[in-house]
Amino acid sequence: MRIVVQKFGGTSVHTRELREKAAMKVKEAHEEGFAPVVVVSAMGRKGAPYATDTLIALAQEEFPEIDARNLDLLLSCGEIISSVIMVQALRRVGLRAVALTGGQAGIITNRSFGDATVIRVEPERITKYLKDGYVAVVAGFQGVTEDGEITTLGRGGSDTTAVVLGVALQADYVDIFTDVEGVMTADPRIVPEAQILKGLTYTEAAEIVQQGAKVIHHKAMDVAREYRIPIRVRSLSDEGKGTLICDIQTLVREGLRVLSHERPVYSIAYRRGLAQFRVGFGGHPELKLRLFQALAEHGVSIDLINLFPESTAFVVDERVKEKVQTILSREGFLFEMTSPCAKVSLVGSGMADRPGVMSQVVEALRDAGIEILQTSDSHVTISCLVAEKDMEQAIRALHRKFQLDELC
Ligand code: ADP
Ligand code: ASP
Ligand code: MG
């Protein structure tokens, strides 16, 4: 049995018309001889009645004291509703289909409500339905603990559902249907001339999503990379083929090896909602250990860390900035905070050992009148912290500077 997992994001199942299009994609896969397994997200975005954001807003407005277990139970309903509705759409195009919750689909997680990790998949129930000729429609973004509690997998987690099912079922492909044509040189909502990256290796795609491109959930990408399961990122309206993420040999065979090491950068990603802290040690360099210990003791995750003998700078998620301010004040540190900030990252394996990339970054942002607050780099990334208000302009300036609109 050749299996394909087809995941439809919230905007791809928002209206009846879109669900009909999605059903036709499933039918096409069925006609090509695949046994399709469908994964759905909650329908629509904020404001739509059963969207995840709407359910979160309901909880925040009506009962902010809700505990994590019950919040997950509430949020899981969005995807369950979607799965039942999708089954009806599939029946209308003549397919036999059955809706399953994440737990019924055999997705077993740990107990980290709100951001649970899949520890095991028991795919037997789905396999049985497939053998009986049914399309299994699985509610994304959720699983169940060993003792039967419903959990959710973190925002964007339906991608993870799709990939872990793809691995467990040894699917040929995991198709991620979303509201853009594929993985692109930048978010096309910010850079309208962004180009589709037609073929990416697992490592290249993982680098882009790790830097914040939410087109695929980073946990899903990590699993896909580890188990080497090919992903196709596509849109419902796709005339082209979207992005194929797989190993380099397949990309070469398919003629999709478009990235070249001639080119230092192939994508620009971003992460907004950050706060930067600059902390001085006041002539007591031994305090640096105390600083990082205090943050660790309070479970604060830090990023973009620059450490100097007399000072340090780092960023945190803006949602914990008050907590960090309190910790630093209590410990007696002198600090300055800048917020909101955003991290704009250039990604490209061709930048390693190549002089001049940073000078182009600095020139592009200087010409755009944007101040760089901090930087960090690895052999395949250069990240610049900028004020959040400058983020979109910075992305566009860098996209132009590295001529990413001419990539394909
Ligand atoms: P879904 O609801 O289908 O899971 P998401 O909103 O999670 O969709 O992800 C798709 C969005 O990712 C796009 O609408 C786009 O704004 C954003 N995005 C960010 N970076 C990129 C990129 N490099 N390529 C394509 N899309 C991107
Ligand atoms: N509905 C969930 C969210 O909005 C999961 C997903 O869409 O992947 O985060
Ligand atoms: Mg998503």
Side-chain angles (χ1 to χ4, degrees), residues 307-324:
L307 182 58
F308 305 102
E310 283 297 324
S311 66
T312 185
F314 57 86
V315 304
V316 298
D317 189 314
E318 227 199 335
R319 287 170 295 188
V320 299
K321 72 179 180 194
E322 277 90 13
K323 183 173 167 181
V324 174

Side-chain angles (χ1 to χ4, degrees), residues 10 13-14 19 40-58 74-83 85 141 155:
V13 289
H14 189 187
R19 289 190 292 271
V40 280
S41 293
M43 295 183 291
R45 289 218 167 112
K46 199 170 192 156
Y50 312 112
T52 307
D53 281 315
T54 310
L55 299 174
I56 291 174
L58 169 71
L74 174 68
L75 298 189
S76 69
C77 297
E79 268 69 12
I80 296 176
I81 292 169
S82 203
S83 66
I85 290 181
F141 174 57
R155 297 307 307 271

Side-chain angles (χ1 to χ4, degrees), residues 110-121:
N110 66 9
R111 292 182 63 85
S112 299
F113 293 104
D115 194 22
T117 298
V118 178
I119 51 175
R120 197 171 69 247
V121 179

Side-chain angles (χ1 to χ4, degrees), residues 7 9-10 41 45 155-159 176 178 214-217:
K7 179 256 172 176
S41 293
R45 289 218 167 112
R155 297 307 307 271
S158 298
D159 295 340
I176 306 275
T178 184
K214 69 166 190 161
V215 59
I216 307 174
H217 194 278

